Every structure is written in structure tokens, then in C-alpha cells.
Amino acid sequence: MRKVLLPTLIIIAASLLVIRIFYLQVIDDSFKLKSENNAIKIKYDYPERGYIYDRYGKLLVANQSSYDIMVIPRDIKDDLNIAEFCELLHITKEDYEKRIAKARVYSPRLPSVFLAQLNKSEFAAFQEKIRKYEGFYFQKRSLRDYEVDYGANIFGFITQVDERLIAKNPYYNSGDLIGKQGVEQSYEEILRGIKGVKYIQKDKYNREIGSYKDGKYDTIAVQGEDINLTIDAELQKYGEELMINKRGGIVALEPKTGEILALVTAPSYDPGILVGRQRSKNYTLLYHDSIAKPLYDRGLLAEYPPGSPFKILTGLVALQEGVINEQTTFMCHHGFSYGRGRFMKCHGFGPHQLHNGIYNSCNTYFAQSYMLTINKYNNPAKAVDVWSDHVKSFGLGQFMGYDLPTGKRGNIPTSKTYKKIYPNGGWRSTTIVSNAIGQGEVLMTPIQLANMMATVANQGYYYTPHIIKKIEGKKIDAKFTTKHVTTIDKKYFPPVISGLFDVYNLGTAHGLNVPGIDICGKTGTAENYAKINGKREKLKDHSIFVAFAPKDNPKIAIAIMIENGGFGATVAGPIASLMIEKYLKRKISRTDLEVRVLNKSLQSEYAKLGGLSEVIKKDLRTKDSIANVIKLDIQRKDSIAKSKKIISKTKVDSIKRN
């Protein structure tokens, strides 16, 4: 039996192999299409990308036609008039040779992009003479057509795929376009659609003679799906206008859903400059601007000490742990001493309880509450982990899971943090008390701050922030409709919210009220240090403000971070009031605040870090408004002096707009 088994297995295996080879070579010839078959030419039909709309159906991003000149190096004739060809396409002979060499490296037989993104007039001139240039043909593609000049950080951009991605993903070929950053990247597979493919049979003279197998394997292009974003386009535009001459981020959320209403980063740029043949040049300018960093989304990526807004969580955790109640009183003498000559300054004075501790932003009150929390267990390591778990239940200290491709964790320290900092032990509540007021090791991004306020507005729960509202024919990810509940009991939120309401009426944001809207908010000021000429120097503090409104049934939660802005109520606070009124009323009554914000320039503070942006210095198209100067709408070279002159000349006109 054993003697027969081995020969039998060999015969069976050989038979199966012969049958498979016969099937592939005689019956199923689709594998021929996947090889570099000289007798078959592949033509792609590229679909339009899906359109992008805001939450109300306003069109934000559409498409425009573009044409790539493709080349198959092997098919180029020796008698090609290179000089005439180069003149037609406005390139040099050196450019021609470099591009051909690159195409040969990719493949002498397969098509690759020779010259990308010709406009209609450039293409028309080439199309008239294309028959003279064998080996070259055009490929129609679809480029983005931005209907607005804001929201660049939200949209992202599209660019050609690189060789690594082509090798990794068989869908893409040389010259294909792919979304990068923003929703273009997050929803690439939905927006890109499906390419159509046609297989053309060629004869021995390389002439096209018709469809291969009568079009049996041909497919038609399927347009990308349209999407609606959660963004309020008018609110986004207004936020970017308010951030002129400033650096920082604004994030606004709808508390009941987690929908992102506005995601502002400053400085920004017109998304239209990253379309067409100038895209690469403009992107390079933006990328190498190491001062202003217009490609850096401060709303998602910038980690800052949150400052006084963090006191909200300090109070909630202390209430939950039972170490304070609403009547617990601490005496403040413009601060308090906490051992070994250490003193925490405070602008408050006299007895403070939870309510006035919040609206006066009393450092003493919250530092004492924090130390009671840490001292509760007679074990600082255990206590810090308990405190950390409470704080993390608000979505802090971790990636939030939103549907944008970039982000940072922030930092909420644990016992491991302090075991690493103090390997010999000896740390206690007084050592880490600065955490109580949002300093120390605590770091948060603006979107985390906004989510924190949305959670407080909801009295203990939140939904993962997201920017997708609707996908044509599809459901959005279920994780965006999953409720996350904090470890803080609901009963502890109302007294905190009452204190936040009086921040506007009696406290640090007095004077920033908006008629007819009950706003709950919290000012913040975070210390700011930077290395200048190799030395660590203290710069003007960051201005922070968080808020939600209305007090009952909140519809918007917002966080504003202004780098080097100073006290929270000076710059960030007015922006919060204006954004809230713009969203809820669709108009502005506090024009005094609007004038103050639009007039406020922090360029002199940023100059200490290295002067004006290199993009502004090198290549800038200036229009008659501050917004377009600062938003880096690049096209025409202008001197820095001219930019300054235009800013000075149009400052008043910009403020009096509409």
C-alpha cells in the first residue's frame, strides 16, 4: 500500500497542475491583461471624485478637468522633433531628457506621466499635434475645484501616488491621484470612485485594431460618492477671519452628537493654491515654512498646557472622590504656600467655595482640592492613578478616534510618569500640585479641550468627535453614534455648570456676554516658554477659552487657543463669544468685540521666534485684505515691504467689511 501511495499522490498533483495551466492558458486568458502584453493596450477612464458639501448642503469642493501627457518610452520614434515638442509644452530639452529617463526606470513598456495637470488651453495646443509624437498620448483626469478659499486643513489635497504606494496597492498606477491630509485622505476610498478600464488589441505594427475580446473585460468608471461634512461653512469662514494675524486653533462641536462644526487652524492658506502645475512649488513653500507652519493643524496636533479650564476637571474629580462638597471653603491670600518656601500665586482673595472658586478662577481653591484628592489614599501612586482614570474618561490623554488622519494624544500623567521622573521616590501631592491648574505634566489639544466642554455640557457623556455627516448611499461608522460615559456622577455637574455660567456674569469673562444667549465658559492662561538663541526664555502666555451655549440644552461647545495671546479674556474669550453668536443667531450684535479681535495682531510676538513667515517673504500674492495676505494665497511675488503696506492700508477697511 505504501508503495502505491507516493506515486498516486504525484500523479494526482501533476494532473491538477496540468488542468490549471490548461485553464489559465486556453480557457481563462484574463492573466494576459495583467502582464506587459505588447499586443494589448490598457486605457483607463478616471471617474470624478465625489463632491464635498457642508452640513447644510453648501457645495465646498467640486471638480475640474485636467490632462496628463503620458509616455511609453519604447514607442517613441527616433525621428521625434524634440525641440518642437519641448517648445509646444514650454519645457527645456533637459527637462525632456530627465522625464524620459525617469519613465524608462519605471517601465519602458508601461505608460507613466510625462507632464501632469495641463489646463484646457495647454492641452488644446498639444492635442492639435499629438499625431506627430508617437509614444505620447493624453490622459484625462479630474482635479479639485474649490468653491471656497477657506477650510484647507479640513479638505486636505490630492497629489500623485508615489512608487511605494503603487507597489503596495494594486489599485493605483503611475500618475494616479490620491487624497492626502484632511477628509481627502480619510475618505479616499469613498471619494475616488472606481476606474474604468478598456483593453485595446494592437496588430504587429502597433496599430490599434479594436477592443480585446469584444470588450469582454472592459469596465466602466464609477463616480466617487458625495459626502456631507458636519462643518458649518459660514462658521468656519468666520473663524478663519477672526484668526487673522494670530496663531492657534479653534474647535467647535455640537455636544449632543460630537459633530465638528468648525476646525480652524491659523495661519491657513487658500486650498486652491495646491491645484494644477503650480501645486508642487506652492506646497514646497508651505512645507518649508518652519515659522508659521501653515500645514500644521494646530486644532488637532498642537499640545498645550490647558491652564485654568482644567480646573473644571479638578473640581469634578474632587467632588466624585468626596474630598470636597459645594460648601467646602478655602481661604485665598492672593495664593497659598505649600511647603519649603513654595507659593502658588492667585488673583483671588478671601474665602472661596466651588461656585466663586470657578468664576474667580481661584488657584488656591483648586490646588487645595487636588491635594486632598491625592492625599485621600495615603498612597500618592494609587491616588494619581485614580485621578488619572477619572480625567481620561473625558477622552483625554489618548487618541480620540475621530475621522481625520492626524492627531496627538496629549498627556495625562499617571504614577508611571512620576516613577520615571522621580526614580528614587519622594514625590507627593505638593510636588505635582501644578496639575490642578492645568500646568505640570498635563497637555491637551484644542479638540480635546472642546470635547471636554461638550462632555460637561452633556453632564457626563460625549460622542467621539467626527467630521462626516452623510455619505451618499452609506452609513457613517457606528463608533460616532456610540455614547461614552465618564466616571463622574451626573449630580456633580450642575453646580460646576452654575459656576461656569457666572464666569460671564460675575467672573473673569465679565463683559463678554452676548444678548439673549446664556453662555457658560472658562478663561485660561498657560505659561509659555521657548528656546531663543539657545536660551530658554519666557514669552507672552497663551490665551485660552472654553465655553458652551446655551446653558440649558447646549448646541455648541468651543475651545480657542491663541499662541502668545495673553490673558484668556483678552483675545480667546471675545472670539468664543463671537463664534457662539454667529452659530446660534447667524449674525453679530457684539460688533465692539468683533472690531477688537480683527484689530488685534500678534505678529510682533511671533517675530521674537524668528520674524515673519518665510512664505510671506519669498512668494506671496497679495489682495486688498489682511485675510488673503496672512492666508498665504500664493501666486505673485511681492516684497515684504509691500505686504506690510497693504496690511496697514486696508486694516480699517477689512474691519468695516459688509
Side-chain angles (χ1 to χ4, degrees), residues 118-358:
L118 276 67
N119 59 35
K120 288 183 179 180
S121 60
E122 293 171 328
F123 165 69
F126 177 77
Q127 187 181 30
E128 289 181 3
K129 300 183 178 182
I130 191 171
R131 65 186 184 280
K132 297 172 60 177
Y133 309 122
E134 196 164 339
F136 294 90
Y137 69 96
F138 68 88
Q139 175 70 65
K140 185 178 179 181
R141 299 187 194 274
S142 178
L143 296 182
R144 281 316 205 183
D145 184 16
Y146 295 97
E147 307 300 308
V148 297
D149 63 356
Y150 50 85
N153 61 309
I154 294 171
F155 306 138
F157 54 90
I158 57 174
T159 186
Q160 287 188 20
V161 293
D162 56 34
E163 293 182 7
R164 286 182 299 175
L165 185 58
I166 293 171
K168 183 178 179 181
N169 190 331
Y171 176 86
Y172 297 101
N173 298 300
S174 177
D176 283 4
L177 301 175
I178 189 172
K180 288 287 186 182
Q181 300 183 10
V183 295
E184 294 282 17
Q185 179 173 332
S186 295
Y187 292 96
E188 162 68 10
E189 292 188 9
I190 290 169
L191 290 168
R192 75 187 182 190
I194 301 173
K195 289 184 290 189
V197 184
K198 291 183 179 180
Y199 299 97
I200 309 298
Q201 184 78 47
K202 297 189 293 184
D203 63 16
K204 63 181 181 180
Y205 300 108
N206 206 34
R207 295 175 301 194
E208 297 182 8
I209 58 175
S211 296
Y212 177 71
K213 294 287 184 179
D214 295 323
K216 177 181 177 181
Y217 299 105
D218 293 354
T219 60
I220 61 173
V222 179
Q223 183 173 344
E225 303 289 350
D226 296 342
I227 63 174
N228 284 75
L229 304 182
T230 59
I231 293 295
D232 178 336
E234 290 304 310
L235 187 67
Q236 178 72 25
K237 178 183 179 182
Y238 189 57
E240 292 193 18
E241 290 174 353
L242 295 176
M243 291 296 286
I244 293 165
N245 275 334
K246 306 167 191 70
R247 294 180 191 169
I250 301 175
V251 181
L253 304 175
E254 185 178 69
K256 292 293 189 290
T257 62
E259 294 179 355
I260 300 174
L261 303 173
L263 180 60
V264 176
T265 183
S268 188
Y269 59 93
D270 185 333
I273 68 173
L274 296 186
V275 177
R277 292 179 67 179
Q278 296 300 311
R279 190 206 72 82
S280 179
K281 174 187 173 184
N282 291 341
Y283 180 82
T284 299
L285 287 168
L286 294 172
Y287 180 81
H288 289 291
D289 182 2
S290 60
I291 300 172
K293 298 181 179 179
L295 292 175
Y296 182 72
D297 193 328
R298 287 168 164 86
L300 303 178
L301 290 170
E303 297 171 300
Y304 305 94
S308 291
F310 195 77
K311 294 173 184 175
I312 298 168
L313 298 189
T314 300
L316 286 169
V317 173
L319 288 168
Q320 180 68 34
E321 287 298 306
V323 297
I324 65 167
N325 57 40
E326 293 178 55
Q327 287 72 44
T328 302
T329 303
F330 298 108
M331 188 63 65
C332 178
H333 299 283
H334 299 301
F336 80 108
S337 300
Y338 55 100
R340 297 184 181 180
R342 289 181 288 184
F343 185 78
M344 180 179 284
K345 294 181 180 180
C346 183
H347 51 271
F349 186 80
H352 278 80
Q353 297 176 334
L354 179 66
H355 189 73
N356 68 336
I358 291 173

Side-chain angles (χ1 to χ4, degrees), residues 566-603:
F567 183 55
T570 303
V571 185
I575 291 176
S577 297
L578 292 168
M579 291 285 285
I580 287 171
E581 185 175 27
K582 183 71 171 178
Y583 181 67
L584 295 179
K585 291 187 172 183
R586 315 310 291 178
K587 60 182 180 179
I588 297 298
S589 64
R590 290 298 306 269
T591 54
D592 58 319
L593 294 182
E594 188 175 54
V595 169
R596 186 203 304 181
V597 171
L598 291 173
N599 253 329
K600 184 68 174 179
S601 173
L602 296 173
Q603 291 295 350

Side-chain angles (χ1 to χ4, degrees), residues 245-247 601-608 611-612 616 630:
N245 275 334
K246 306 167 191 70
R247 294 180 191 169
S601 173
L602 296 173
Q603 291 295 350
S604 60
E605 291 295 326
Y606 306 140
K608 297 174 184 178
L612 289 177
I616 293 178
I630 301 304

Side-chain angles (χ1 to χ4, degrees), residues 470-508:
K470 177 183 176 184
I471 303 172
E472 193 69 32
K474 292 183 175 63
K475 291 184 178 180
I476 66 170
D477 196 317
K479 73 177 181 179
F480 300 134
T481 55
T482 301
K483 182 185 286 189
H484 303 277
V485 181
T486 71
T487 57
I488 307 298
D489 293 341
K490 185 176 180 178
K491 65 182 180 180
Y492 295 121
F493 286 91
V496 171
I497 290 172
S498 177
L500 294 173
F501 179 59
D502 277 338
V503 168
Y504 271 84
N505 298 314
L506 305 170
T508 53

Side-chain angles (χ1 to χ4, degrees), residues 27-45:
I27 299 174
D28 181 9
D29 54 2
S30 62
F31 277 81
K32 294 179 182 178
L33 306 178
K34 298 180 181 180
S35 65
E36 293 187 6
N37 194 324
N38 294 334
I40 301 172
K41 180 179 180 180
I42 301 175
K43 286 186 176 181
Y44 291 102
D45 183 13

Side-chain angles (χ1 to χ4, degrees), residues 358-378:
I358 291 173
Y359 72 69
N360 282 331
S361 195
C362 179
N363 288 345
T364 298
Y365 179 86
F366 290 99
Q368 296 275 36
S369 299
Y370 178 77
M371 289 196 298
L372 288 176
T373 302
I374 300 303
N375 293 333
K376 175 182 177 180
Y377 295 95
N378 295 317

